[in-house]
Amino acid sequence: MTEFKARIAGIGSYLPERILTNEEISSMVDTSDSWIRERTGIRQRHIAPDGVTTADLAEQAARRALDDAGISAEDVDLIVVATTTPDFTFPSVGTLLQARLGATQGAAFDVQAVCTGFVYALSVADNMIARGQAKTAIVVGAETMSRILDWTDRTTCVLFGDGAGAMVLTGQDAGDEASPGIMGTYLRSDGRFKDLLHVDGGPSSTGTVGQLRMIGNQVFRHAVTNIAESMTTIAGRAGVTIEEIDWFVPHQANQRILEGVARKLSIPTEKVISTVADHGNTSAASVPLAFDRAVQDGRIKRGDLVLMEALGGGFTWGAALVRY
Ligand code: ACO
């Protein structure tokens, strides 16, 4: 059977205008700009105003990615949205987005793997393209994390923000190893750690949306170990060394996690794309947001070898390796 390779044809992202600074948060809970910066690297985060939903953010990012690819929504036959903060229990943000873009072919749905959501969604779309089930996909990470935060809990509310990022993938003949496209994805999870990072509500338990709860220092320890493992595994499977990879685009949770992983794998910090200072943790949106930033500012160029990775609630974790 013919195998196709999914190439990143376009990328886009969107952040709501409203910026919430560390100083403003310091007037809401007992914290300080210096504590937040020293422990997390975060300076500010963007917050969606009342009435603006995850689908609104997803739409803006998807339109920018389609423009960048020079592809019309009519040609899209797959939409996969990674989100933990959907507009509704159903229908999915994917189908809402499909209607807004005027896409009528193929399938649209959501994937829920919290902060690893974009890597999971990319993997699903890559596999569907490889099997010829779709030719042109939009993969989106979009979140309104501000809606599930307890704004009286200083241990969590300082960490998260809202935003969206999107990639357009097109199926190409598989070509050789050096041709552009997704070279591999690696997904993991371990449900035993659910209590370390979870939301304390849902439709079939409490009948409420719930709020995010986290034992941050324990999540931190698992993050560095599991992320490093997923990076070495995916590189090994693709037959490349960590040194050969041009750019690392991590999930943006905490600058200290980014530095811890870089140290563990002897990666020069200038190869690690970091946007956490400006966005905070935007969960599933953070990888495409950071990737787009580095494409826009000229760091990531066509032909570069890029490794994306993430860890999130569940736990879920994973990585994707792409020749951009
Ligand atoms: N301001 C001031 N003090 C605070 C704050 C705050 N915002 N938050 C916690 N503290 C206090 C605690 O109450 C504690 O005080 P105590 O010693 O009097 O009890 C002290 O700071 C130390 O708390 P720790 O939790 O041990 O602090 P730590 O250095 O681990 O930093 C942090 C906390 C930033 C949450 C860190 O653990 C972290 O980033 N963990 C990873 C979280 C993460 O990556 N989550 C995302 C991955 S998955 C996802 O994105 C969904």
Side-chain angles (χ1 to χ4, degrees):
M1 195 182 61
T2 316
E3 283 264 330
F4 299 94
K5 198 176 211 178
R7 174 177 175 269
I8 302 174
I11 183 160
S13 62
Y14 180 76
L15 288 161
E17 262 176 47
R18 162 89 169 102
I19 288 172
L20 182 65
T21 63
N22 290 349
E23 285 79 8
E24 282 175 274
I25 292 199
S26 305
S27 69
M28 296 155 58
V29 289
D30 182 15
T31 189
S32 65
D33 176 49
S34 60
W35 192 95
I36 301 171
R37 278 185 199 234
E38 278 164 26
R39 301 286 181 122
T40 72
I42 298 167
R43 287 187 292 127
Q44 60 177 45
R45 68 288 294 142
H46 292 247
I47 303 290
D50 286 350
V52 170
T53 68
T54 295
D56 294 322
L57 308 184
E59 181 183 354
Q60 297 291 337
R63 288 192 185 282
R64 289 176 184 184
L66 283 169
D67 281 352
D68 187 45
I71 283 174
S72 155
E74 289 163 22
D75 295 325
V76 171
D77 58 1
L78 176 66
I79 296 177
V80 189
V81 176
T83 188
T84 306
T85 47
D87 296 34
F88 305 106
T89 301
F90 78 85
S92 65
V93 175
T95 54
L96 297 175
L97 181 61
Q98 189 186 28
R100 287 173 183 216
L101 295 175
T104 52
Q105 300 188 62
F109 54 92
D110 291 357
V111 162
Q112 204 272 60
V114 204
C115 299
T116 322
F118 189 80
V119 174
Y120 269 61
L122 203 61
S123 182
V124 170
D126 176 43
N127 278 287
M128 288 180 71
I129 286 174
R131 293 295 300 265
Q133 264 186 286
K135 283 197 175 71
T136 306
I138 307 179
V139 182
V140 184
E143 301 281 15
T144 45
M145 294 303 282
S146 61
R147 307 275 158 78
I148 57 165
L149 295 177
D150 175 353
W151 287 100
T152 65
D153 175 9
R154 68 176 182 174
T155 69
T156 52
C157 76
V158 303
L159 302 172
F160 294 88
D162 303 336
M167 289 180 184
V168 174
L169 304 182
T170 53
Q172 320 273 315
D173 285 338
D176 58 24
E177 282 301 307
S179 66
I182 295 175
M183 295 166 67
T185 59
Y186 173 69
L187 305 183
R188 290 293 316 276
S189 63
D190 189 336
R192 289 173 299 176
F193 297 103
K194 68 175 173 37
D195 293 335
L196 300 186
L197 177 54
H198 69 287
V199 166
D200 61 7
S204 82
S205 53
T206 59
T208 61
V209 171
Q211 290 177 321
L212 188 147
R213 306 291 171 203
M214 178 167 70
I215 305 174
N217 48 14
Q218 292 193 43
V219 175
F220 196 107
R221 281 207 308 277
H222 286 276
V224 174
T225 311
N226 291 343
I227 288 169
E229 180 267 329
S230 67
M231 292 166 71
T232 49
T233 301
I234 198 164
R237 286 182 180 181
V240 301
T241 63
I242 291 289
E243 293 74 38
E244 285 171 310
I245 295 166
D246 297 302
W247 298 104
F248 297 85
V249 183
H251 167 52
Q252 309 286 319
N254 182 319
Q255 184 63 30
R256 282 161 56 217
I257 295 179
L258 272 55
E259 287 166 5
V261 172
R263 230 183 353 260
K264 198 173 168 82
L265 300 183
S266 303
I267 297 167
T269 45
E270 51 285 6
K271 280 186 162 189
V272 181
I273 307 299
S274 174
T275 54
V276 69
D278 299 332
H279 307 161
N281 181 347
T282 56
S283 190
S286 91
V287 166
L289 266 164
F291 202 121
D292 188 36
R293 163 83 70 88
V295 168
Q296 298 307 325
D297 68 22
R299 277 179 291 174
I300 297 180
K301 297 185 185 60
R302 286 290 177 192
D304 285 353
L305 196 53
V306 185
L307 193 155
M308 298 169 253
E309 48 82 350
L311 175 130
F315 290 137
T316 56
W317 68 98
L321 187 65
V322 62
R323 173 82 57 194
Y324 179 59

